[in-house]
Amino acid sequence: MHTPDSTSSPAMVIVGAGHCGGRAALALRTAGWQAAIHLVGDEPHHPYERPPLSKDLLTGDKTAEACALLSDADLREARITRHVARVTSIDATARSLTLSDGQTLAYQSLLLATGGKVRTLRIPGGDLPEVMTLRNLGDAAALAQRLTPGQRLLVVGGGFIGLEVAASARKLGCEVTVVEGAPRLMGRAVPEPVAERALALHRARGVRVLLGVGPLGITRTANGVRMELADGSSIEADTVLAGIGIEPDLALPQAAGLAVGRGVMVNAHLQSSLPGIFAAGDVAEFPSVLSGQLVRQETWHNAETQAAIAAQNMLEGVNSALAAYTALPWFWSDQYDHQLQVMGEPALAATSVTRTLDDAGGMVIFYLDADNRLVGACGWGETSRVAKELKLARTLVERRISASAEVLADPATKLKGLLSHAR
Ligand SMILES: Cc1cc2nc3c(=O)[nH]c(=O)nc-3n(C[C@H](O)[C@H](O)[C@H](O)COP(=O)(O)OP(=O)(O)OC[C@H]3O[C@@H](n4cnc5c(N)ncnc54)[C@H](O)[C@@H]3O)c2cc1C
């Protein structure tokens, strides 16, 4: 492998020092890139993992240090130059970019790993200081300060993050209400029976869940805030968390002339529409390996696995072959002592089959295409049970195992035994 020396070669530059950016920087060095690596991110922290922000970090069971992906020592050892700054413009013709601190960096290859920005509540009072969002360590610290016993938390949005925060807040002794505009929790990413079980669990743990009703406005009261709802009712709270999702900030790539849709559009090699520029993680819209459709994912696994492929392909001209991104989607959500996992693309299924895990509502739903090959699986139940079952289910889906509905549904069938059915 040709490894250019550090004086004559332009650098590898990564915009966004989050999960994907941090992992990609390290992967570039591990893959043998000898010259400069610049990791530019606008957060004051080194790259860290975000899943604990709504779970263990919020409840105080994990420290911010324990969420770090890279330490000072790691950066030094890998000779990664970390810039705490915002990238304000990209000149794709000159292959350079400008930072908010005035610096200009030249690049051989550039990775956009800029994640997404949280949606805010666009209603009157949505900008009050009691109304919070959760995306970064600073948000988590500010929210944690308010979640003391007896405090009233109102979560807007019954998606993963809203429900995880609801569970954490109950653990911390808060009174919790969740308001979701749709008639069910967790949207289309999760099958109806799982959404129903999650709803029952939250209610059993003391969360007041209101479905099919949206917020109209928020006003201050003598001792907190009051949210008016579309059905004419209102709820008082000390803190409101808007858990209504994220959207990629596409202004920077758009101004640089990159093709964008719901994210920065890339091909299977994570190459954007302009030479030398790649995108990965939450910001990238890429072709699904199962359907070929352009998809964007907001998951730990996507950030982790795309970082490796992007780094490999940024070395094009150094390493010869371009790698394709072929990983199947996978995400989890922890709520109380329960876990949800979704693997593959359930939307592509012709049929589904349910496997009961226990008497307490634990289940795995398998998704099969028209040829009875597995294209997805969704598990819900007590954490260790789901983790064990989904580990095998993931492998079955990855190998596109073909199995009959009867065999999959039968709790006596050992999933491990099905691995030999691979084509
Ligand atoms: C509270 C929370 C809980 C989660 N829980 C789970 C979970 O249980 N399971 C799961 O699968 N996934 C979970 N996720 C999702 C997962 O953490 C994300 O998918 C992952 O962090 C995406 O990584 P990324 O590198 O693409 O983006 P990020 O980690 O968001 O990193 C992007 C970085 O780029 C920076 N940036 C943006 N624009 C610029 C610019 N112009 N210049 C410089 N820097 C810039 C941002 O500030 C940020 O630091 C969770 C996310 C959150 C917020």
Side-chain angles (χ1 to χ4, degrees), residues 85-423:
R86 197 164 171 79
V87 171
T88 51
S89 67
I90 300 168
D91 183 337
T93 312
R95 291 206 180 202
S96 71
L97 43 80
T98 311
L99 277 51
S100 51
D101 61 10
Q103 281 193 74
T104 300
L105 296 173
Y107 63 83
Q108 170 164 319
S109 298
L110 171 67
L111 175 63
L112 290 174
T114 47
K117 55 178 183 180
V118 279
R119 287 198 194 101
T120 50
L121 273 182
R122 295 196 179 165
I123 53 173
D127 55 355
L128 287 170
E130 290 85 354
V131 183
M132 314 187 80
T133 53
L134 179 59
R135 182 67 189 175
N136 58 41
L137 276 172
D139 298 338
L143 182 60
Q145 264 197 342
R146 300 180 69 97
L147 298 186
T148 50
Q151 286 289 298
R152 299 162 301 171
L153 174 70
L154 172 51
V155 177
V156 180
F160 306 114
I161 289 177
L163 294 176
E164 288 175 1
V165 170
S168 298
R170 286 300 294 146
K171 189 174 175 189
L172 292 166
C174 301
E175 283 176 30
V176 184
T177 303
V178 173
V179 173
E180 165 58 54
R184 48 168 287 197
L185 296 175
M186 295 186 285
R188 282 175 303 150
V190 166
E192 181 81 45
V194 170
E196 276 169 16
R197 278 168 170 77
L199 174 63
L201 177 70
H202 280 276
R203 286 185 169 155
R205 300 290 169 108
V207 177
R208 185 175 167 217
V209 184
L210 305 178
L211 297 174
V213 64
L216 289 182
I218 306 167
T219 47
R220 273 229 167 93
T221 61
N223 57 354
V225 291
R226 179 182 300 115
M227 179 179 283
E228 306 295 335
L229 300 177
D231 63 2
S233 65
S234 66
I235 300 170
E236 300 215 348
D238 300 298
T239 303
V240 176
L241 176 79
I244 51 175
I246 64 160
E247 53 201 36
D249 186 349
L250 299 175
L252 178 74
Q254 226 161 357
L258 289 162
V260 299
R262 286 169 297 166
V264 175
M265 291 164 87
V266 293
N267 62 17
H269 305 299
L270 307 181
Q271 293 170 302
S272 75
S273 58
L274 292 176
I277 303 185
F278 298 75
D282 283 7
V283 77
E285 196 181 6
F286 61 96
S288 145
V289 65
L290 282 177
S291 69
Q293 304 281 312
L294 283 181
V295 292
R296 199 174 64 71
Q297 283 171 23
E298 298 163 8
T299 68
W300 180 99
H301 177 255
N302 184 60
E304 177 84 6
T305 51
Q306 287 198 339
I309 299 296
Q312 193 173 334
N313 291 341
M314 286 167 79
L315 300 174
E316 182 193 4
V318 180
N319 286 325
S320 46
L322 281 174
Y325 183 69
T326 57
L328 293 181
W330 172 62
F331 71 86
W332 80 94
S333 172
D334 293 315
Q335 297 167 30
Y336 311 99
D337 48 359
H338 277 55
Q339 189 169 72
L340 162 79
Q341 288 196 32
V342 181
M343 164 71 184
E345 287 193 55
L348 302 178
T351 53
S352 66
V353 50
T354 301
R355 180 180 169 92
T356 302
L357 291 185
D358 50 40
D359 297 335
M363 56 156 71
V364 177
I365 304 179
F366 287 103
Y367 296 90
L368 300 154
D369 68 11
D371 300 324
N372 266 358
R373 295 200 319 163
L374 279 165
V375 290
C378 172
W380 166 262
E382 186 267 317
T383 300
S384 59
R385 188 72 212 274
V386 168
K388 189 166 159 247
E389 201 83 353
L390 257 287
K391 197 169 174 206
L392 287 164
R394 278 178 69 187
T395 313
L396 294 176
V397 177
E398 267 160 11
R399 297 192 192 171
R400 317 279 205 284
I401 297 284
S402 176
S404 75
E406 294 71 34
V407 165
L408 288 168
D410 185 354
T413 304
K414 294 261 180 276
L415 293 183
K416 206 170 183 180
L418 299 177
L419 288 172
S420 55
H421 293 205
R423 288 185 178 170

Side-chain angles (χ1 to χ4, degrees), residues 1 23-33 37 78 315:
M1 184 172 72
R23 282 286 197 238
L26 208 54
L28 283 167
R29 192 60 85 208
T30 312
W33 176 254
I37 299 172
L315 300 174

